[in-house]
Every structure is written in C-alpha cells, then in structure tokens.
C-alpha cells in the first residue's frame, strides 16, 4: 500500500541525494486505488526530488483535486507583468531529457525565445513554468485533454500546433511558436537548410527512401482519424513520411477522403502518395498483401499477425521529433524497409494457441 511505497521511495530518494528519483508503475495505480501521486507529492514537500513518471491520462482520471498535474501546475495565474514575453514552455512533445527538446530550445533561442519548462511526461524546471508567456503543447488528445483545460483555468495561454517532425514540420512548428510570442519568423526553408548542414548524408538517405513504400493502415476507426495529429501522437504521419522521402500508401475506411483532406503539400510529394479505400468489414492485411506492401503501421492490430504474413511492422517508437530526430527516423525506417527477416521466416511464426514452433 501507500505506506510501503512511501518508505521505499523515501529510502531511494535519500540515497540518490541531489539526483531525481523517478517512480514508475506497471499496472495502473488508479485501478488499484492507492494515491501514488499523493505519496510523491508529500515526499516532494519534504524537499526530496521525486517524480511520478506516468501522469494520468483522460481515461483514468476525473477532475478531482488529486489529479497529479493539478498538483504541479501553479494553482493561480501570476500577474501578467511577471511573465517573460519571449519565454515558452514545451509540453507533451517528449521526455524532458530527450535530445530533441534541447535542439528545439536551441532553435527558439536563435530567435530570442527562451524555454522555461519542459514537461508532460515528466517535468523539468516546473517551478519556472509560470514565467512563460505561452505553453506550446502537443495536439495529441491525451495531452490536449489534460493540460489545455488545466492551464486555461489558470489563465495561461496555450497553443497546440502539429508536433515538429521533419524539416517541413519543424519549420511550421517554429513559425507557429514565434508568431504566438510576437518574435520574428524564420526564413522560408530555414529548417531544410539546417538539416542539410548538420547531416551531410541527408540528401542521399532521402533519395534512398524513394525506393520504398510505407503503409499506414487504419483498422480501427477511419483513415482520416488515424492520420490526424489528435490521434497520431501529435504529428501528421503522412506529411512526415513524405518529408523523409518515402512513398506512402494509406489504407482503410475513408482513405480517399483522408488523402483529399491533407494540408497543402508540394505537388512532387503528392505524386508519392496513394490511397486504397476499404470497407469496414474488409481485412486490411489481405489488402496490404495484395498490394505488395511490406513496411506497415497498423493502429490496432498486434504485430505478430503482420510478421506471420511476411510484413515488417513499424510504430511511433521509430519516429522522432526535431531535425536530428528526422535523420534518426529516416535511418531507422530505411533499416526496417531493407529487413528480410519476416518476409523470409514470418510464415514459421504462430499466434498464441497455434501449432507452430
């Protein structure tokens, strides 16, 4: 229970000294009933650096005062004159120590904008978050439904542009943030120029990606929902994959409408984008196999059925924000696209309950 948790965390925090102690949970503690957030809060009040690393998502929480983020966000709005006009918070984009946040902070710094706090998940410099003029949040639903209302109730301004994935996505995100604080906009194509300078192999890697097609398969809901930032972890996956140089094929109910509803993209990108409309009752994997697609994202299916059919699954874990993240994502997806493991041996795998090895 809570007493054993408090004793264990206090012991670990005292041993850690000035380093932060992170508390993680396997099964969700909201379902058990223990006030794990309260335990961590009490230990922080004792002066110990304790962080609860799985903040509540909407499906597990109500609007009670015990919600974890309500305990760390400033309960009252400070006077406007105490805020820094060219300071922002970054929320819901990545863990505070992720290199992409340092990169994004550096890009903003080139235009005179400082980052006061980076949080959700985790927290970095939370005591300074009230000094920022604007909190830049991810538009992903679990972030938007938790943070935006809480910040709004306290009088803090928030914006939620699509997350900065790829040169084009990072450029659009940077422009939105700078516009929100009234700072000068970057030159058009600045992020494209920066990534070429930072990663000399970017052009050749992107050209290599043109030989492969990445499939986005909606087997739960519609293709339009799957490809939207509110569902897909805050980013537009179609635009990002096209920015990386891949051909992209969208499959599922509403795929044609999803393709037509994309924001304005370069004409040469649209030439690499195709769509296959599926009825709700159709098996998406049959359609994928029939089209000869191999590198597949599905939004609901487990990966084993894909591997059994010789398909190579990919996930959000293979995608990374920022310019350095774009290069990392491109290398990762190219590695998966060239992998022959499942196409050669996937037929020997069996789902649980099967008769194979």
């Amino acid at each position: 229970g809570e007493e054993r948790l408090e004793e264990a965390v206090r012991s670990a925090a005292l041993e850690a000294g000035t380093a932060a102690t992170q508390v993680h949970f396997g099964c969700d503690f909201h379902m058990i009933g223990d006030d794990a957030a309260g335990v961590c809060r009490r230990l922080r009040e004792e002066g110990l650096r304790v962080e609860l690393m799985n903040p509540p998502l909407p499906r597990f929480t109500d609007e009670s005062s015990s919600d974890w983020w309500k305990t760390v966000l400033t309960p009252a709005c400070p006077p406007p004159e105490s805020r820094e006009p060219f300071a922002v918070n970054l929320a819901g984009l990545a863990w505070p120590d992720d290199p992409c946040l340092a990169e994004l902070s550096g890009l903003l710094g080139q235009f005179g904008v400082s980052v006061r706090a980076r949080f959700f998940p985790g927290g970095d410099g939370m005591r300074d978050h009230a000094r920022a003029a604007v909190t830049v949040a991810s538009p992903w639903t679990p972030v938007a439904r938790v943070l935006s209302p809480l910040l709004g109730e306290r009088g803090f301004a928030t914006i939620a542009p699509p997350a900065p994935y790829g040169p084009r996505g990072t450029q659009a995100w940077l422009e939105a943030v700078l516009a929100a604080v009234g700072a000068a906009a970057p030159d058009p194509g600045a992020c494209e120029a920066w990534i070429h300078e930072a990663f000399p192999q970017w052009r050749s890697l992107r050209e290599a990606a043109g030989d492969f097609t990445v499939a986005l398969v909606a087997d739960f809901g519609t293709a339009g929902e799957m490809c939207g930032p509110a569902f897909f972890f805050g980013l537009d996956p179609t635009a990002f994959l096209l920015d990386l140089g891949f051909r992209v094929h969208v499959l599922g109910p509403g795929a044609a409408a999803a393709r037509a509803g994309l924001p304005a993209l370069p004409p040469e990108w649209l030439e690499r984008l195709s769509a296959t409309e599926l009825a709700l009752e159709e098996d998406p994997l049959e359609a994928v196999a029939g089209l000869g697609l191999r590198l597949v994202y599905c939004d609901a299916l487990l990966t084993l059925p894909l591997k059994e059919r010789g398909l190579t699954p990919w996930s959000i874990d293979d995608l990374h924000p920022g310019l350095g993240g774009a290069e990392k994502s491109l290398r990762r997806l190219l590695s998966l696209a060239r992998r022959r493991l499942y196409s050669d041996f996937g037929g020997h795998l069996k789902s649980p309950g099967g008769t194979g090895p």
Side-chain angles (χ1 to χ4, degrees):
E2 295 177 20
E3 293 181 0
R4 292 176 60 192
L5 173 64
E6 185 168 345
E7 179 182 354
V9 176
R10 180 182 287 107
S11 175
L14 289 172
E15 183 177 346
T18 58
T21 298
Q22 299 178 350
V23 181
H24 300 257
F25 292 86
C27 55
D28 197 276
F29 57 86
H30 297 282
M31 307 300 291
I32 300 171
D34 289 342
D35 185 12
V39 169
C40 294
R41 182 174 64 253
R42 291 193 294 273
L43 293 172
R44 286 195 301 274
E45 291 171 351
E46 295 178 14
L48 300 175
R49 289 193 62 192
V50 175
E51 296 179 353
L52 179 62
M53 301 311 291
N54 52 338
L57 298 183
R59 65 182 181 276
F60 292 128
T61 64
D62 55 23
E63 289 301 312
S64 71
S65 59
S66 65
D67 284 355
W68 193 77
W69 284 104
K70 286 190 175 183
T71 69
V72 296
L73 293 171
T74 300
C77 178
E81 59 269 18
S82 69
R83 302 186 202 175
E84 301 174 13
F86 293 104
V88 300
N89 300 316
L90 303 181
L93 297 174
W95 291 98
D97 292 333
D98 193 296
C100 78
L101 292 188
E103 177 193 80
L104 294 172
S105 299
L107 292 177
L108 291 170
Q110 294 184 33
F111 297 89
V113 177
S114 61
V115 175
R116 281 294 158 219
R118 301 177 290 190
F119 54 92
F120 200 94
D124 175 54
M126 289 300 299
R127 294 179 180 177
D128 292 333
H129 87 275
R131 297 169 59 187
V134 176
T135 293
V136 185
S138 167
W140 186 36
T141 295
V143 177
R145 288 182 59 184
V146 172
L147 282 188
S148 296
L150 294 180
L151 290 168
E153 291 170 4
R154 289 154 176 76
F156 294 107
T158 62
I159 61 170
Y165 281 74
R168 184 182 177 90
T170 302
Q171 177 89 19
W173 180 88
L174 191 59
E175 291 172 353
V177 176
L178 295 176
V181 298
D187 293 335
C191 288
E192 186 71 36
W194 291 333
I195 199 169
H196 281 286
E197 181 180 352
F199 304 104
Q201 292 184 306
W202 173 256
R203 182 175 283 106
S204 61
L205 290 171
R206 185 189 256 172
E207 290 175 354
D211 294 333
F212 300 100
T213 300
V214 179
L216 287 164
V217 182
D219 61 331
F220 184 82
T222 67
E225 293 169 334
M226 179 189 67
C227 293
F231 175 89
F232 203 92
F233 309 96
L235 70 143
D236 179 340
T238 307
F240 180 44
L241 294 168
L242 292 170
D243 199 0
L244 295 182
F246 290 99
R247 298 192 300 266
V248 178
H249 197 115
V250 181
L251 301 91
R259 185 186 189 283
L262 286 171
L265 297 175
E268 61 272 20
W269 287 18
L270 295 175
E271 294 175 1
R272 292 186 276 112
L273 176 62
S274 54
T276 296
E277 187 75 23
L278 298 179
L280 287 173
E281 64 274 10
E282 285 189 75
D283 180 356
L285 294 189
E286 291 291 345
V288 168
L291 292 167
L293 302 172
R294 289 293 176 264
L295 188 56
V296 181
Y297 172 88
C298 280
D299 60 357
L301 285 174
L302 299 175
T303 60
L304 185 56
L306 279 75
K307 297 171 184 176
E308 288 177 331
R309 298 178 185 229
L311 308 176
T312 299
W314 63 275
S315 73
I316 184 60
D317 292 332
D318 299 309
L319 308 184
H320 305 275
L323 301 179
E327 193 259 357
K328 183 177 180 180
S329 303
L330 180 49
R331 289 183 181 276
R332 173 61 177 166
L333 290 176
L334 280 173
S335 175
L336 291 174
R338 293 165 174 155
R339 181 178 293 178
R340 301 288 303 175
L341 176 64
Y342 300 120
S343 60
D344 292 344
F345 301 106
H348 297 286
L349 300 173
K350 291 295 180 182
S351 300
T355 57

